[in-house]
Amino acid sequence: MVRQLQVRGVLSVPVRLADQPVGTLNVYATQPRAWSPAEVQALGAFAVVTAELVRTAVELAGREVEVAQLRQALASRVWIEQAKGMVAATGGVTLDQAFQQLRRRARASSRKLAEVAQEVIQEVQRERVAAKAMDDARVRAAEARAREAEQALQAAQTGLARRSAAQDRSQDVLDARERAADQRNHLADQRDRAADDRNHVADARERAADVRDRVADARDRAADKRDRDRAAVERHRASEAQDGPADDPE
């Protein structure tokens, strides 16, 4: 491998952290050569700088680990606090009682409290999602029932309008029939009054005829009386005439 890379010279110095070697800083040459003390010293100075860079990187990595741990702890604390609130709200207990329930559950399952808290939150969230889905289904069902009721109401209103129109037409027919009946009754009343008038005229005529008959009867009786009186007078005269010559002294 060295032959393929055409490496003909190497200088290597240790890189130390806390006086412990953690690696080496290496330089290479493509031609065989002897390294001077100045080059060795310069590479050693670079190794010191490299060590400082490595130390800084290690410290930064440690701090990042600490930050990550702090973030994890904060996240765990957030999970725990959220789980406490959810357990207290759903179970109707205090926050301390909710925390004790979480601890007992973690101990019973040999798990971390934050893990149990996260599980509780996920369970509550799933329940909420299921409840929301159920509520959405109920809302959709209610909306469907409302639409059906609205359609039924519209159909009922349409039927009512049709029945009202039919009733109006029937009422118009009845009114027309009543008007026709009133007209017939009025005509019948007129005919009855005319018949009554004719009857009154006939009665008057009959009364006049009766009067005329009575007058004629009276005239006849008077004529008969005159005739009887005239006949009586004539008989009397005749009788006197017969009696006259017999009584005459001559």
Side-chain angles (χ1 to χ4, degrees):
M1 180 63 66
V2 172
R3 187 180 302 110
Q4 291 175 359
L5 293 176
Q6 297 181 356
V7 175
R8 299 294 184 266
V10 178
L11 176 61
S12 179
V13 296
V15 177
R16 299 178 180 273
L17 288 179
D19 295 332
Q20 296 294 328
V22 295
T24 58
L25 180 61
N26 304 316
V27 293
Y28 303 94
T30 59
Q31 297 296 328
R33 56 168 297 175
W35 302 95
S36 66
E39 291 174 334
V40 175
Q41 185 177 0
L43 189 58
F46 277 117
V48 173
V49 175
T50 302
E52 289 295 326
L53 292 175
V54 172
R55 182 181 63 79
T56 302
V58 171
E59 290 179 355
L60 289 175
R63 290 180 182 179
E64 290 179 356
V65 172
E66 292 178 356
V67 170
Q69 291 176 349
L70 291 174
R71 288 178 178 175
Q72 182 64 33
L74 180 61
S76 299
R77 190 63 185 175
V78 170
W79 285 113
I80 293 170
E81 292 298 326
Q82 289 181 353
K84 283 169 57 178
M86 289 181 177
V87 172
T90 56
V93 297
T94 63
L95 293 176
D96 292 338
Q97 291 173 342
F99 181 70
Q100 294 301 325
Q101 290 181 9
L102 292 174
R103 288 185 62 184
R104 287 194 296 270
R105 182 171 175 176
R107 290 175 180 174
S109 59
S110 300
R111 290 182 296 170
K112 294 182 179 180
L113 183 60
E115 183 180 352
V116 173
Q118 185 175 1
E119 183 181 76
V120 170
I121 293 172
Q122 291 174 350
E123 290 176 355
V124 173
Q125 288 177 346
R126 284 193 296 270
E127 292 176 357
R128 288 180 178 177
V129 170
K132 186 178 182 302
M134 185 176 295
D135 291 338
D136 293 340
R138 291 175 180 173
V139 169
R140 288 193 295 271
E143 291 176 349
R145 290 194 298 271
R147 287 193 296 271
E148 292 176 357
E150 185 176 0
Q151 293 175 355
L153 179 60
Q154 291 177 353
Q157 289 176 347
T158 302
L160 180 60
R162 291 176 179 174
R163 288 194 295 273
S164 298
Q167 290 178 355
D168 292 338
R169 290 193 296 271
S170 299
Q171 187 65 39
D172 293 337
V173 172
L174 290 176
D175 293 339
R177 289 178 179 176
E178 288 180 357
R179 287 193 297 271
D182 292 338
Q183 291 177 354
R184 288 194 298 271
N185 292 331
H186 182 66
L187 293 174
D189 292 338
Q190 289 180 346
R191 288 193 296 270
D192 291 339
R193 285 194 296 271
D196 291 338
D197 292 339
R198 288 193 298 272
N199 292 331
H200 291 321
V201 171
D203 291 339
R205 289 177 178 175
E206 289 178 358
R207 286 192 298 270
D210 291 339
V211 171
R212 287 194 300 271
D213 290 340
R214 285 194 297 272
V215 170
D217 291 339
R219 287 176 180 176
D220 292 338
R221 286 193 299 272
D224 291 339
K225 184 178 180 182
R226 284 195 303 271
D227 291 338
R228 286 194 301 272
D229 290 342
R230 189 179 296 112
V233 170
E234 289 178 354
R235 284 193 303 273
H236 181 68
R237 287 177 181 176
S239 176
E240 286 181 352
Q242 291 176 359
D243 291 341
D247 293 336
D248 189 1
E250 296 179 352

